Amino acid sequence: MLFNSFFFLFVFLPVAFVGTYALGRWRQDAAKVALTLFSLGFYAWWKPEHLPLLLGSIVFNYVVGGIIQRTYDAGRHRAVKLWLVFGVLADVLLLGWFKYANFVFDNVNAVLDTQYSLGRIALPLAISFFTFQKIAYLIDSARGEAKRMRFLDFALFAAFFPQLIAGPIVHYQEIVPQLRNRLWGRLIARNVMVGLVILAIGLFKKTVIADTLSSYANPLFDAEAGGQHFGLAGGWLAAITYTLQLYFDFSGYSDMAIGLGRMFGVKLPLNFHSPLRASSIIDYWRRWHMTLQRFIVAYIFQPLSLPLNRRAMEYGLKGWSAFAMGIALPTFITFVVIGIWHGAGWTFVAFGVMHAVYICVNEAWRERRKQRRKFLKKKGITLTDPGMMERAAYHVLTLLAVAYANVMFRARSVGDAVDIWSGMSGLRGAILDVPFDLGLAATILLGTLIIMFAPNTQQIMRRFDPAYNWRDWRDVAPARLDWTWKPNLPGLLFAGAALFLGIAFIQRGQGIFLYFNF
C-alpha cells in the first residue's frame, strides 16, 4: 500500500486513525492492539505471503532480545555476546538469503560456467529496513540501552506502519518511551494538525515533483539501455533529472513518514535534512538517509575503526599510515556495505565503491588541513576558514560527485552508467541530442529553487518541534528564505494547496517510492 494512493489516504488512514483513537479513549492497550493490526495489514496489502516472515522476525527478535536483556541484568556478559552473535547472525542470514542469494549464484555460474539454480527468490518488502531495526534492537539490548518490555509494545514498535517500509530505522529509546507515555492513544489536536501539514508537504514533493521527474528520467535511462548514446546534453539531463527525482522522492517519503507518525502521537527521528546543500560528501551523508548512516557508523564503522586504530598504535604507525589503517580502511568497508545494502547488483557495489572513495578523499583532505593548521599554529599563523568562493567550489564538487554516483545507482548495468558518463564528460561532443521540454524544464527549475532557497519541511514546522531529534539539527543548513508555518490564513492556504495538488497529481498514476525497492 502506497502513502500516495487514494486507498491509503481516503480509506486506510481514516479507518486506522478513527479506530486507534476511538479505542484509545477506552483503553491504551486496545489502541496499541488496533494500531499493530492495522500496521500488519498495511504490510500484508502488498504480498500477504510475506507477512509470516515479518511476524517471525518480530517474535524471534523479541525472544532473543529478552534473553539478552535478562542475561545482561544478571551480569553474564559472555553469554550476552553469544546470544547477540546468534541473533544478529540469524537476522543477517535471513536478509542475505532473500536479498543476495540469487546474485551470488548468478555470479558463481558466470565465473564457473555452471548452472546452479535456486529459482527466483522474491524479495520481501522492507526486509532491509525491518532487519536493521531488529539488529539495532539486539545490539542496544546487549549494551543495556533497551530494556525489557511487553510483547505488545515491541510488536507495535517493530511494525508501526509509518516507518516500517522504508525507514527511518528507529531505536528502542526513541520510540518505546513514547508508546508508554500516559498520553499516547489520546487524540491531541496539535499532533494531528502538525502531522497533517507535514504529510501534505511530503505528498506534494512526491506526486508533483518526484513523479513528474520520474516520467522523464525513466525513458532517458531506458533509451540508454536500449542502445541510444547520449551526448553532453542528454547525459547531464539524465543525471540531473534522476538526482532531483531521487531527492524529492526520498524527501517526500521521509516527510510523510514523520507526518503520519505525528498524527498517531509518535515523533520519528529525522531521515533527511537538505543534503544537496552540503559542501562536502561527508556532510552530504550526514544528512541523506540519516538513520541508515547512523546505523552503519555505530555498528560497522566504529567497531572496525577502534581496534584498527589500536593496532596502528601498537605497530607504531604515524601520519598517513595510521590514517590509512584507522580511518580510510574502515571508511571504505563501511561505504561498500552501504552500496551493497541498497541492492544485489554490480551497479550498487560500484555505487558503494564510488562513495567510499569520495569519503576517503574527503577524510584525507580534512586530515591534511588539520595537520597544516597545527603546523602553522606552531609558527604563530592561524589558518583561516574557507571563504565564500572556496565553499561554493566545495559545494559544486560535492554536487558533481553525487550526480555521477547517482547515474551508477540508477543505471541497469555498469556499462550503461559508463556510457552516460561518457556523454556527461563531453566525450561524444556538446551536441543537443534531446528535445527541449517545457514541463521538464519547469519541474527542474522548481526543484532547484526549492533546494537552493526554500526552508525544508522541518524548518517550516520548527515552531512545533517536528521530529524526535529536531533540536540536534535546527541550526544546520539554514535556508536563504526564512518562513515558518503558523495555523493562520496564509498557513492554512499553504497546507491546503500542498495537499490539494499532492492528491490531484495522484490521478496521473501512483509511482512507487524508490526506497521501497531496497
Side-chain angles (χ1 to χ4, degrees), residues 472-492:
D472 298 333
W473 292 91
R474 59 186 175 187
D475 297 324
V476 177
R480 290 179 173 86
L481 298 178
D482 186 20
W483 181 73
T484 56
W485 189 84
K486 299 177 183 178
N488 53 17
L489 181 59
L492 294 176

Side-chain angles (χ1 to χ4, degrees), residues 199-225:
L199 174 67
I201 296 172
L203 184 64
F204 175 88
K205 290 179 182 178
K206 169 59 178 170
T207 64
V208 178
I209 302 179
D211 287 350
T212 299
L213 293 168
S214 173
S215 67
Y216 294 99
N218 290 339
L220 286 169
F221 280 88
D222 290 343
E224 177 63 39

Side-chain angles (χ1 to χ4, degrees), residues 100-114 116-120 344 346:
Y100 305 107
N102 282 142
F103 176 69
V104 171
F105 270 71
D106 289 345
N107 282 278
V108 168
N109 288 333
V111 171
L112 301 180
D113 194 22
T114 54
Y116 299 119
S117 177
L118 295 173
R120 289 294 98 184
W346 287 111

Side-chain angles (χ1 to χ4, degrees), residues 17-77:
F17 182 86
V18 172
T20 298
Y21 283 116
L23 290 171
R25 295 185 63 184
W26 169 54
R27 191 174 179 183
Q28 192 179 68
D29 280 356
K32 291 180 180 179
V33 170
L35 189 51
T36 301
L37 293 176
F38 281 123
S39 297
L40 294 174
F42 173 83
Y43 183 83
W45 183 265
W46 290 91
K47 285 191 176 180
E49 61 268 27
H50 288 153
L51 180 59
L53 185 68
L54 174 61
L55 291 172
S57 176
I58 291 173
V59 172
F60 172 81
N61 284 280
Y62 176 74
V63 171
V64 175
I67 294 172
I68 291 173
Q69 291 157 11
R70 291 191 295 272
T71 307
Y72 178 90
D73 292 341
R76 298 164 54 202
H77 299 299

Side-chain angles (χ1 to χ4, degrees), residues 125-203:
L125 183 69
I127 189 170
S128 296
F129 290 95
F130 70 68
T131 299
F132 271 26
Q133 181 188 1
K134 307 303 184 300
I135 291 174
Y137 171 72
L138 295 181
I139 296 174
D140 289 347
S141 297
R143 293 176 174 177
E145 297 171 2
K147 304 300 182 182
R148 281 181 270 181
M149 59 176 143
R150 299 178 304 162
F151 179 73
L152 176 57
D153 289 337
F154 180 79
L156 180 53
F157 160 69
F160 188 44
F161 77 88
Q163 54 83 39
L164 175 63
I165 305 300
I169 301 169
V170 296
H171 289 264
Y172 165 95
Q173 64 268 27
E174 293 171 333
I175 303 301
V176 175
Q178 296 187 66
L179 300 178
R180 290 175 170 173
N181 189 295
R182 63 181 181 83
L183 294 178
W184 188 87
R186 297 186 183 182
L187 184 61
I188 299 175
R190 180 188 179 95
N191 284 337
V192 178
M193 175 189 69
V194 173
L196 188 58
V197 175
I198 296 174
L199 174 67
I201 296 172
L203 184 64

Side-chain angles (χ1 to χ4, degrees), residues 238-418:
I240 291 171
T241 302
Y242 179 69
T243 295
L244 291 176
Q245 178 201 347
L246 181 62
Y247 182 95
F248 283 101
D249 191 280
F250 192 46
S251 177
Y253 170 82
S254 299
D255 288 347
M256 295 180 77
I258 287 177
L260 289 165
R262 185 65 173 265
M263 289 177 70
F264 286 89
V266 176
K267 289 183 182 179
L268 295 174
L270 292 177
N271 214 19
F272 197 92
H273 190 71
S274 300
L276 289 186
R277 292 183 195 161
S279 57
S280 74
I281 203 70
I282 292 174
D283 194 29
Y284 169 84
W285 271 105
R286 286 180 64 239
R287 298 195 254 148
W288 177 281
H289 209 323
M290 297 155 69
T291 57
L292 172 64
Q293 191 265 357
R294 175 182 68 178
F295 177 95
I296 295 291
V297 168
Y299 302 134
I300 296 180
F301 175 80
Q302 290 178 353
L304 285 172
S305 179
L306 292 176
L308 286 173
N309 273 294
R310 286 196 295 266
R311 188 62 58 89
M313 293 178 62
E314 292 172 2
Y315 289 162
L317 299 180
K318 295 181 180 179
W320 291 111
S321 298
F323 172 84
M325 177 173 281
I327 296 178
L329 180 59
T331 296
F332 195 88
I333 294 172
T334 297
F335 277 86
V336 170
V337 169
I338 287 178
I340 296 172
W341 176 87
H342 280 92
W346 287 111
T347 54
F348 295 111
V349 174
F351 169 81
V353 170
M354 289 179 69
H355 275 284
V357 172
Y358 293 163
I359 294 289
C360 288
V361 171
N362 197 170
E363 290 283 11
W365 177 256
R366 288 182 14 169
E367 181 68 18
R368 180 183 179 278
R369 285 187 65 88
K370 185 171 69 175
Q371 292 178 2
R372 180 167 175 76
R373 191 182 299 273
K374 289 180 180 180
F375 174 77
L376 292 176
K377 188 176 181 180
K378 292 179 181 179
K379 293 180 174 291
I381 303 173
T382 301
L383 183 64
T384 59
D385 292 330
M388 183 178 67
M389 294 302 296
E390 188 175 356
R391 290 197 304 272
Y394 291 159
H395 184 213
V396 171
L397 183 61
T398 300
L399 293 178
L400 289 173
V402 169
Y404 271 86
N406 282 345
V407 168
M408 180 62 72
F409 190 76
R410 171 60 178 82
R412 293 187 184 180
S413 68
V414 174
D416 288 347
V418 172

